[in-house]
Amino acid sequence: MHLHRNILSLAVAASVLSLASCNKGGDFAKTKSGIEYKVFKNEGKSYSPREVSAEGDATYKSRVGKILALDVEYRTAKDSILFNSRKQQMGIPMRIELQEVKIKGGLEEAIALLQPGDSAVFRFNVDTIFAKSFRQPVPPFMKKAGNTMTMLVKAQKVQTREEAMADQQQAMVKQQQTMVAHAAEQSKKDDAILQEYVKKNNLNVQKDTSGVYYVVTSPGTGPKPKTGQTVSVKYKGTLLDGKVFDSSEKAPQNGKPIDFAIGVGQVIPGWDRAIPLLNKGSKATLLIPSPLAYGQRGAGTDIPADAPLRFDVELVDVK
């Protein structure tokens, strides 16, 4: 099991918290380093403020070296959600190793203020947090949103490494069982949706045994790719309502095809199944059910959970 060894790894995910409403109204306390914070203790279905010294939590030293299970959410100054760990990790909490706080004003100091069971809202200066914790320039979209970034946290429990590993392994087994059952049910729903889409758009499709529908719009004369071979593909990806979510015409491809190896998991499963059905030089439309695309998680803000997708592709080369 991989345990996050550094709080900086929180930058890749975050969680949906009921505490979000606490972000509005009321005064923030402030650490000497400038972190604004509100800390609450969970009392059943309600939260009540818990006083925390701006100097830090005196009990934190006893937790250093242990593993904290937590949910996290990041928001821009305009309250747009950046990351959501409960969604990203399908309900499994993040786990980080608690370390001695060496950098003040960053994520490390904020997490050190929390005790197990706490929920909190932290507000950082965006320039400070990116310099001290993320160690990279502030992205333009963050600057445009405002001068602050908010982090909402639910600290669940502190465990030994052995306890954390056992908990995560058990949670992952349960998650996998749930995902398999969901995918089977969703495949049936998606197939009905795709059949209706085919009928509505008068497409003369074929159906692969995996559940992918495809229609060759311009046949090629070259070989079909085999597992392990590298292919070059131009593409445009859309939701079934026509909204474009990605295209090789956009940056970073800027009109160039993408290269990937067939059958080794470098792309979504639907591509691994569908691209080998095409001859080099072919253009085709692929209709991919969500379990063979981005599934329950979706992808970013553009692809919702359980979304069947359309790709218009050109198999430019087989190497």
Side-chain angles (χ1 to χ4, degrees), residues 288-313:
I288 299 178
S290 61
L292 296 178
Y294 295 95
Q296 281 181 274
R297 286 189 175 91
T301 58
D302 294 325
I303 303 177
D306 299 322
L309 304 176
R310 170 174 174 155
F311 288 94
D312 293 289
V313 301

Side-chain angles (χ1 to χ4, degrees), residues 93-156:
M94 297 184 67
R95 289 179 168 86
I96 61 169
E97 183 174 351
L98 299 175
Q99 301 177 346
E100 180 183 350
V101 178
K102 296 181 179 180
I103 300 176
K104 298 288 186 177
L107 301 178
E108 300 91 338
E109 183 183 9
I111 294 298
L113 297 178
L114 300 176
Q115 296 180 2
D118 282 348
S119 295
V121 181
F122 296 102
R123 194 161 63 194
F124 306 92
N125 175 276
V126 71
D127 291 305
T128 300
I129 196 66
F130 271 84
K132 291 189 173 184
S133 288
F134 303 145
R135 299 177 185 178
Q136 61 180 330
V138 182
F141 77 91
M142 289 290 293
K143 271 288 194 182
K144 187 176 181 180
N147 294 323
T148 61
M149 186 190 83
T150 302
M151 178 173 75
L152 289 77
V153 182
K154 169 64 178 179
Q156 296 188 15

Side-chain angles (χ1 to χ4, degrees), residues 67 113 130 161 183 206 307:
I67 307 300
L113 297 178
F130 271 84
R161 177 169 290 273
Q206 299 180 69

Side-chain angles (χ1 to χ4, degrees), residues 29-33 35 37 39 50-60 104 109-110 112-115 118 122:
K30 184 181 288 189
T31 65
K32 288 186 176 181
S33 61
I35 300 173
Y37 65 92
V39 178
R50 182 174 76 79
E51 290 189 14
V52 177
S53 170
E55 301 288 341
D57 182 357
T59 68
Y60 180 69
K104 298 288 186 177
E109 183 183 9
L113 297 178
L114 300 176
Q115 296 180 2
D118 282 348
F122 296 102

Side-chain angles (χ1 to χ4, degrees), residues 88-282:
Q88 182 71 20
Q89 302 199 165
M90 307 293 288
I92 296 179
M94 297 184 67
R95 289 179 168 86
I96 61 169
E97 183 174 351
L98 299 175
Q99 301 177 346
E100 180 183 350
V101 178
K102 296 181 179 180
I103 300 176
K104 298 288 186 177
L107 301 178
E108 300 91 338
E109 183 183 9
I111 294 298
L113 297 178
L114 300 176
Q115 296 180 2
D118 282 348
S119 295
V121 181
F122 296 102
R123 194 161 63 194
F124 306 92
N125 175 276
V126 71
D127 291 305
T128 300
I129 196 66
F130 271 84
K132 291 189 173 184
S133 288
F134 303 145
R135 299 177 185 178
Q136 61 180 330
V138 182
F141 77 91
M142 289 290 293
K143 271 288 194 182
K144 187 176 181 180
N147 294 323
T148 61
M149 186 190 83
T150 302
M151 178 173 75
L152 289 77
V153 182
K154 169 64 178 179
Q156 296 188 15
K157 54 187 174 182
V158 171
Q159 300 173 296
T160 64
R161 177 169 290 273
E162 292 73 21
E163 291 170 337
M165 289 178 68
D167 261 14
Q168 182 151 318
Q169 288 171 354
Q170 184 178 25
M172 290 178 69
V173 169
K174 184 177 180 180
Q175 180 192 73
Q176 184 62 31
Q177 293 171 341
T178 301
M179 289 176 65
V180 169
H182 177 86
E185 184 63 28
Q186 190 63 40
S187 291
K188 297 176 184 177
K189 296 179 181 178
D190 285 0
D191 193 64
I193 292 171
L194 291 176
Q195 287 187 36
E196 180 62 27
Y197 182 86
V198 166
K199 182 179 179 181
K200 180 179 178 180
N201 290 274
N202 196 30
L203 299 175
N204 185 23
V205 299
Q206 299 180 69
K207 184 180 181 182
D208 179 61
T209 55
S210 66
V212 172
Y213 288 89
Y214 66 102
V215 53
V216 177
T217 54
S218 178
T221 58
K224 292 182 178 180
K226 299 178 181 179
T227 298
Q229 286 188 295
T230 296
V231 295
S232 297
V233 177
K234 290 185 177 182
Y235 69 94
K236 180 176 73 173
T238 61
L239 303 180
L240 296 191
D241 64 5
K243 180 181 178 181
V244 178
F245 60 79
D246 196 10
S247 171
S248 55
E249 293 300 315
K250 299 180 180 179
Q253 296 305 123
N254 295 318
K256 297 179 181 179
I258 61 168
D259 293 342
F260 61 92
I262 290 290
V264 297
Q266 293 182 353
V267 291
I268 59 174
W271 272 39
D272 270 338
R273 292 300 300 255
I275 298 300
L277 302 172
L278 308 177
N279 296 91
K280 175 183 174 180
S282 294

